[in-house]
Amino acid sequence: MTAKIKLNSASGGGSFSLQAPSSSSNNRVFTIPDEADATLLTSNTSTGKILQLKSVIKTDTASVTDNATPQDISGLSISITPASSSSKFYITGKVQCSVQQNAAHAIFINVNGSLVGQPSASQNRTVAHGGLGYISTGQQYALYCVAIDHLIDATNANAHTIKLQFSQSDIGSNRVFYVNGSQTDPNSVASGHRYTSTLTVMEVAA
């Protein structure tokens, strides 16, 4: 005799069965939490799954001089169309960068023309997703890594353009903000390092 509990649908539809493991050494306990009503997720449920992933890598250099308006970082842009308007996009990556001393700079996440992942506005302070702050000492050979990390709702099933931007807002100083190379960028094994920057977007089912 098979140890099975079968529940038939009240509307005359399908049925649900609970059946014990075939071996006595594989005893299992199925515990229902003492919480509000919910839907039981299964291995075929899409909620929380990564539905698609797109990633780009920037191997060349870029720079911006005296421009407070966010400018596109070439090569760090992704177009992605969600499978569902209820999905979320997890945006991650890194920007390798350097900046001349006594200069202000910032890195932004732009989604469909709007900046996201920023702090609350605070008077005259520059707001952005990330950066290195105001570098006031000589770091002519140094490169730093700025992390990209943000989660947004897809809101619709249209194609989304997600890109990274940068700015150098110390206007009039003729200062430069560099990506993937140092400010002096010497042709030297010891001090002329080059790095890569990346952007990855994952669609997460919700």
Side-chain angles (χ1 to χ4, degrees):
M1 179 178 179
T2 303
K4 179 187 292 186
I5 298 175
K6 184 175 183 180
L7 303 175
N8 294 314
S9 172
S11 61
S15 65
F16 168 70
S17 298
L18 289 176
Q19 183 170 332
S22 58
S23 172
S24 60
S25 62
N26 293 327
N27 294 329
R28 298 289 184 264
V29 176
F30 182 64
T31 302
I32 299 176
D34 186 14
E35 298 178 357
D37 295 343
T39 299
L40 180 65
L41 302 181
T42 71
S43 59
N44 291 324
T45 304
S46 62
T47 301
K49 288 184 178 180
I50 303 300
L51 301 182
Q52 61 175 314
L53 181 152
K54 289 191 173 184
S55 185
V56 292
I57 181 170
K58 179 177 178 62
T59 59
D60 58 350
T61 60
S63 64
V64 61
T65 305
D66 285 2
N67 198 330
T69 302
Q71 304 295 307
D72 293 352
I73 303 177
S74 61
L76 294 180
S77 178
I78 288 174
S79 178
I80 184 169
T81 302
S84 170
S85 60
S86 63
S87 293
K88 295 180 181 294
F89 288 125
Y90 177 52
I91 307 167
T92 185
K94 65 182 178 72
V95 178
Q96 296 282 171
C97 55
S98 65
V99 64
Q100 291 177 310
Q101 68 180 38
N102 302 322
H105 60 284
I107 294 174
F108 308 86
I109 301 175
N110 185 305
V111 179
N112 299 327
S114 297
L115 300 179
V116 302
Q118 300 196 121
S120 302
S122 181
Q123 298 178 323
N124 292 326
R125 297 175 179 86
T126 298
V127 293
H129 183 71
L132 303 174
Y134 186 89
I135 304 297
S136 59
T137 57
Q139 298 290 332
Q140 65 268 29
Y141 302 118
L143 281 92
Y144 305 89
C145 183
V146 177
I148 304 299
D149 187 81
H150 192 56
L151 183 70
I152 63 170
D153 294 324
T155 69
N156 62 65
N158 300 328
H160 290 60
T161 299
I162 299 172
K163 57 188 177 181
L164 300 184
Q165 298 179 310
F166 61 167
S167 72
Q168 199 295 98
S169 56
D170 200 11
I171 306 303
S173 64
N174 202 34
R175 300 294 184 182
V176 187
F177 183 26
Y178 303 89
V179 170
N180 286 350
S182 68
Q183 59 173 294
T184 53
D185 196 29
N187 186 14
S188 166
V189 173
S191 56
H193 293 70
R194 290 280 183 88
Y195 298 123
T196 63
S197 297
T198 61
L199 172 64
T200 299
V201 179
M202 291 175 275
E203 181 188 355
V204 183

